[in-house]
Amino acid sequence: MPAPLPPGSTLGILGGGQLGRMLSQAASRLGFNVVILDPEENSPAARVSQGQIVAAYDDATALGVLGRTCQAVTFEFENVPAASVERLAAGGALVAPGSKALAVAQDRLEEKTFLNGVGATTVDFAPVDSLDDLLAGLERLGAPAVLKTRREGYDGKGQIWVRSADMAADAWSAIGQRPAILEAKAPFLRELSIIAARGRDGSLAVYPLGENIHAGGVLKTTLAPAEVDARTTARAYAIAEAILQGLDYVGVLGVELFDLGDGRLLVNEIAPRVHNTGHWTQDGCVCDQFEQHIRAVAGWPLGPTAAHARVEMTNLLGDEVEGWRELGGEPAARLHLYGKAEARPGRKMGHVNRVRSL
């Protein structure tokens, strides 16, 4: 196992968005330098980092420079090509999480298959490569069911509800007739999530569960720690551990869950990175998810995960960010803005954590 990286080392981050920005800020607090690789010049993460390589994520020359410059490399979102991570590792770079986690998370069919294989149960599902497959899947799973592209798609994109067999042809066309997965409807009471980390030495650190509220397919609010019983907590922790161990994972992982009641949980999806539903930890825990990820990647001991406050995290979408004056005046509110220039509808521009006592 590589020795822990000392302060003054340089970390690379593939991706220059808000997650990369907050990872870079956490790394800076621990004394690390950060270099961003992102195709967008002057990205939000680059503006709080030592430097940026402006290039595509699969640019061989740029990846070579990043690997030689940095003592460890990570990524901020799961649509970075897995081949790029493999290229970095083959060149001798220390990369975490590894390409296996990316490959699993980038394909919804592979993800569901992996999850069930490690005992993290999901809804029933069927692969869809044609309209006939979709019709057969609807006959087996029943309607309504949700049709999702196997690759790409996030925040409600690349998916459509199919409420009857009559809608199948239109739904298949709506997703561009691309390889897909049909998922049965989950009879859940609420949506939960858990943020967990695994260190290079195999140690685990798991945060309290959060309860999530979505609007239009996009996360709007997370309440954490969620009000859950011991049985539900134990099951969520077991799911997180099984996934982390099954992927031989290093870093922070987000797991979205459907709560069926009575301690029964289904995994909706996983994210091999820091996660929107873990933003509450910035103001609710001593060691937030961003510092935790940097600690894991650098080979440091993992930090404490106990909550010292209850937090209501609210995403600021589009022009909601214009309310920064009022939000900045709320005594219990901690404002986190991402430095994005254009407030497009539905775009995540920042979030606010409202801190309450436990």
Side-chain angles (χ1 to χ4, degrees):
M1 187 173 62
L5 297 179
S9 301
T10 300
L11 306 181
I13 300 176
L14 294 166
Q18 67 265 19
L19 298 180
R21 182 183 178 99
M22 289 181 279
L23 282 170
S24 182
Q25 290 168 326
S28 178
R29 290 197 304 272
L30 298 181
F32 294 109
N33 302 309
V34 176
V35 174
I36 304 297
L37 193 156
D38 191 282
E40 177 190 336
E41 190 172 358
N42 196 33
S43 66
R47 294 200 296 276
V48 298
S49 302
Q50 183 184 39
Q52 177 182 353
I53 300 170
V54 180
Y57 297 121
D58 58 357
D59 186 298
T61 301
L63 290 170
V65 172
L66 187 73
R68 291 190 298 272
T69 302
C70 302
Q71 284 70 64
V73 179
T74 189
F75 46 85
E76 68 143 7
F77 72 122
E78 60 268 40
N79 287 330
V80 169
S84 296
V85 173
E86 292 169 357
R87 181 186 289 271
L88 282 165
L94 189 63
V95 186
S99 59
K100 180 180 179 180
L102 264 184
V104 167
Q106 286 178 350
D107 186 312
R108 288 188 171 100
L109 182 59
E110 295 291 335
E111 180 184 63
K112 289 284 191 298
T113 302
F114 163 79
L115 289 168
N116 283 279
V118 297
T121 312
T122 69
V123 295
D124 199 1
F125 60 93
V128 174
D129 293 303
S130 67
L131 179 57
D132 287 342
D133 287 344
L134 175 55
L135 290 168
L138 286 168
E139 184 174 354
R140 181 169 72 83
L141 302 180
V146 61
L147 180 67
K148 301 178 179 180
T149 55
R150 281 180 58 169
R151 302 183 70 85
E152 301 179 339
Y154 59 93
D155 287 345
K157 299 178 178 66
Q159 58 184 268
I160 185 170
W161 279 97
V162 187
R163 305 195 180 279
S164 69
D166 294 340
M167 291 180 59
D170 288 342
W172 181 233
S173 296
I175 66 164
Q177 300 183 1
R178 291 182 287 169
I181 181 173
L182 186 69
E183 299 179 5
K185 184 178 181 180
F188 63 92
L189 303 177
R190 57 179 175 170
E191 295 186 39
L192 301 172
S193 61
I194 193 162
I195 305 298
R198 183 172 181 267
R200 291 197 179 276
D201 61 355
S203 59
L204 301 178
V206 186
Y207 290 93
L209 284 155
E211 180 175 351
N212 305 313
I213 300 168
H214 290 76
V218 181
L219 178 70
K220 186 58 183 174
T221 301
T222 295
L223 304 170
E227 295 184 4
V228 291
D229 58 26
R231 183 178 174 186
T232 301
T233 297
R235 178 58 183 149
Y237 279 39
I239 287 171
E241 180 176 359
I243 295 170
L244 290 168
Q245 303 288 24
L247 293 173
D248 192 21
Y249 196 87
V250 174
V252 164
L253 174 88
V255 184
E256 296 181 4
L257 302 161
F258 293 134
D259 181 8
L260 307 185
D262 301 325
R264 293 177 298 149
L265 298 171
L266 298 178
V267 179
N268 178 28
E269 62 182 29
I270 62 175
R273 52 172 171 82
V274 288
H275 196 251
N276 198 165
T277 64
H279 291 354
W280 72 272
T281 62
Q282 289 174 299
D283 300 297
C285 301
V286 171
C287 179
D288 66 40
Q289 66 163 345
F290 299 99
E291 178 179 328
Q292 195 76 278
H293 188 76
I294 296 300
R295 283 173 169 266
V297 170
W300 286 27
L302 298 181
T305 56
H308 59 67
R310 190 161 192 261
V311 177
E312 178 183 306
M313 188 287 300
T314 302
N315 276 327
L316 300 176
L317 307 177
D319 60 8
E320 290 175 349
V321 73
E322 298 303 328
W324 60 267
R325 294 176 182 82
E326 293 76 15
L327 293 169
E330 288 187 30
R334 293 291 305 278
L335 189 59
H336 300 264
L337 301 181
Y338 303 153
K340 296 180 180 179
E342 184 183 358
R344 298 192 297 268
R347 191 183 195 193
K348 293 174 182 174
M349 301 298 295
H351 65 272
V352 59
N353 283 337
R354 292 182 170 89
V355 182
R356 322 287 190 205
S357 59
L358 281 174

